[in-house]
């Protein structure tokens, strides 16, 4: 019986993780769950999976949920609550599935507590990759990728010698507006931006896919997860999202991981690694898929990806500023305060003013994050 906790259990990844748990009922014990504000769903999850501890965003919500769940379930709230669920249970693995860099302290706390990480929440790696990876190395903790591209690369590199890797290619669907020119982006709506062509995901990552910021975050995520220099990380447009990424080796061989776009597969692999268990996911038929298409990335069409590479190469707090600016800008777009194209404008203007701090500690990262958020709200 594997004991796990899920940070962000009411979200897209969190609920799919619980699907996987339900598929293998006798194999998992849920120690902790966390929600932000969706306490109705969390209450259902508490009754079904009986976690020892839960956390929600605010004290008010914590007081409300206490009236509707068994007294045996301890209730926490806020960032401290995330940390408590991350580190304060008997879980041997924590699935990090909250949205944004709010997951940084709880990710670090889980690692500090020696818990392996099923890593979906990519923003903590983007904002503080050196802290997350060095702590994981020091504590002997595995960072098992859930993000589909990084799960693919992880699977392709299994059993291979690191020095034989010539490079990795992260595939990109192109997002909701992949068939639009930049001129046609001027008046696009939130509703249109939320229509990802292949995946059903949370709102923020869906917008990030449309701006290509998601792929930029994934480039930085891959740099840290696989200790991969940026000049060995490529991005390729692949509209079908069937090849989830691939690795090229020194002998020119390419190993790729394919499958239907279903996050339960990478989630399950992170939970069961190094084993593979059966999955209810529909099997991929290449004859049905027919042709697969690929196109060189157009960095003029998607300038945010170029910015991400520049920030990654710069290191220090540049990626912290990039991530925080994007989180604020996407939230403003989703609140209909700014246009879609203004998202990249906010990021660019933040970076134009950013004074980079090399190898920052946690305090400096959190200070940069907060300062950037205040600035991005005004741009
Ligand atoms: N969805 C996907 O297919 C993929 C997602 N990822 C990554 O996984 C992470 C989660 O994504 P996704 O599941 O789509 O996101 P969702 O928005 O669907 O879910 C986010 C989760 O985090 C919780 N949450 C949000 N804000 C806070 C907060 N301030 N404090 C505490 N909890 C909070 C939400 O709670 P509530 O809803 O109750 O408010 C929810 O449980 C992201 O980093 C994303 O980039 C990576 C690859 C694929
Ligand atoms: C499912 C997943 O991993 C997402 O990150 C998805 O890959 C987004 O797809 P694109 O960013 O390629 O549109
Ligand atoms: Mn991804």
């Amino acid at each position: 019986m594997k004991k796990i906790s899920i940070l962000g259990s009411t979200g897209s990844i969190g609920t799919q993780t619980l699907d996987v748990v339900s598929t293998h009922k006798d194999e998992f014990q849920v120690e902790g769950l966390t929600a932000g504000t969706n306490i109705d769903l969390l209450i259902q999850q508490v009754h079904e999976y009986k976690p020892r501890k839960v956390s929600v965003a605010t004290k008010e919500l914590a007081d409300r949920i206490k009236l509707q769940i068994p007294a045996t379930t301890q209730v926490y709230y806020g960032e401290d609550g995330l940390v408590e669920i991350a580190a304060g249970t008997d879980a041997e693995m924590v699935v990090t599935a909250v949205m944004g860099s709010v997951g940084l302290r709880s990710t670090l706390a889980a690692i500090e507590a020696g818990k392996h990480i099923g890593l979906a929440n990519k923003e903590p790696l983007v904002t503080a990759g050196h802290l997350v990876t060095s702590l994981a190395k020091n504590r002997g903790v595995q960072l098992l990728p859930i993000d589909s591209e990084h799960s693919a690369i992880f699977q392709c590199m299994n059993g291979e010698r690191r020095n034989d890797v010539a490079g990795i290619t992260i595939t990109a669907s192109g997002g909701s507006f992949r068939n639009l020119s930049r001129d046609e982006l001027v008046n696009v709506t939130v509703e249109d931006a939320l229509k990802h062509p292949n995946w059903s995901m949370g709102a923020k990552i869906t917008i990030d896919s449309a701006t290509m910021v998601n792929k930029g975050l994934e480039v930085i995520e891959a740099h840290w997860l696989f200790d991969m220099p940026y000049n060995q990380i490529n991005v390729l447009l692949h509209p079908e999202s069937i090849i989830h990424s691939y690795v090229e080796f020194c002998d020119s061989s390419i190993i790729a991981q394919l499958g239907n776009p279903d996050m339960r597969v990478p989630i399950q692999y992170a939970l069961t690694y190094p084993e593979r268990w059966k999955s209810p996911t529909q099997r991929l038929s290449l004859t049905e898929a027919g042709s697969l298409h690929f196109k060189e990335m157009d960095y003029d069409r998607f300038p945010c990806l170029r910015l991400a590479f520049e920030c990654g190469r710069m290191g220090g707090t540049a990626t912290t500023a990039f991530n925080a600016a994007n989180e604020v800008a996407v939230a403003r777009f989703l609140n209909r305060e700014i246009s879609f194209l203004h998202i990249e404008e906010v990021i660019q203007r933040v970076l134009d003013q950013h004074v980079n701090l090399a190898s920052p500690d946690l305090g400096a990262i959190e200070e940069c994050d907060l300062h950037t958020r205040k600035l991005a709200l005004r741009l």
Side-chain angles (χ1 to χ4, degrees), residues 118-134:
L119 199 147
N121 180 210
K122 63 190 81 174
E123 291 89 349
L125 264 190
V126 172
T127 194
H130 63 299
L131 294 185
V132 174
T133 53
S134 56

Side-chain angles (χ1 to χ4, degrees), residues 4-6 8-9 11-23 28 49 95 97 120 146 263-264 267-268 271:
I4 67 168
S5 288
I6 305 168
S9 62
S12 165
I13 291 290
T15 50
Q16 293 180 83
T17 303
L18 288 171
D19 280 355
V20 171
V21 167
S22 298
T23 305
F28 295 103
Y49 299 97
V95 171
I146 288 179
M263 278 307 290
R264 291 174 300 173
I267 290 169
Q268 179 171 295
L271 289 175

Side-chain angles (χ1 to χ4, degrees), residues 126 182 211-220 230 235 297-315 317-323 325-326 329 341-354:
V126 172
R182 284 189 63 79
T211 61
M212 205 52 75
V213 163
N214 181 52
K215 223 39 67 177
L217 300 177
E218 293 185 348
V219 164
I220 297 163
Y230 285 99
V235 179
M297 177 53 70
D298 179 347
Y299 288 87
D300 295 327
R301 169 67 180 74
F302 297 108
C304 289
L305 183 54
R306 178 186 290 121
L307 285 175
F309 266 106
E310 287 170 5
C311 289
R313 289 194 173 94
M314 214 183 296
T317 50
T319 52
T320 304
F322 177 85
N323 179 70
N326 179 62
L341 280 174
H342 199 67
I343 294 172
E344 62 190 49
E345 176 78 18
V346 170
I347 299 170
Q348 182 64 69
R349 289 165 67 183
V350 159
L351 294 175
D352 289 343
Q353 302 182 38
H354 179 66

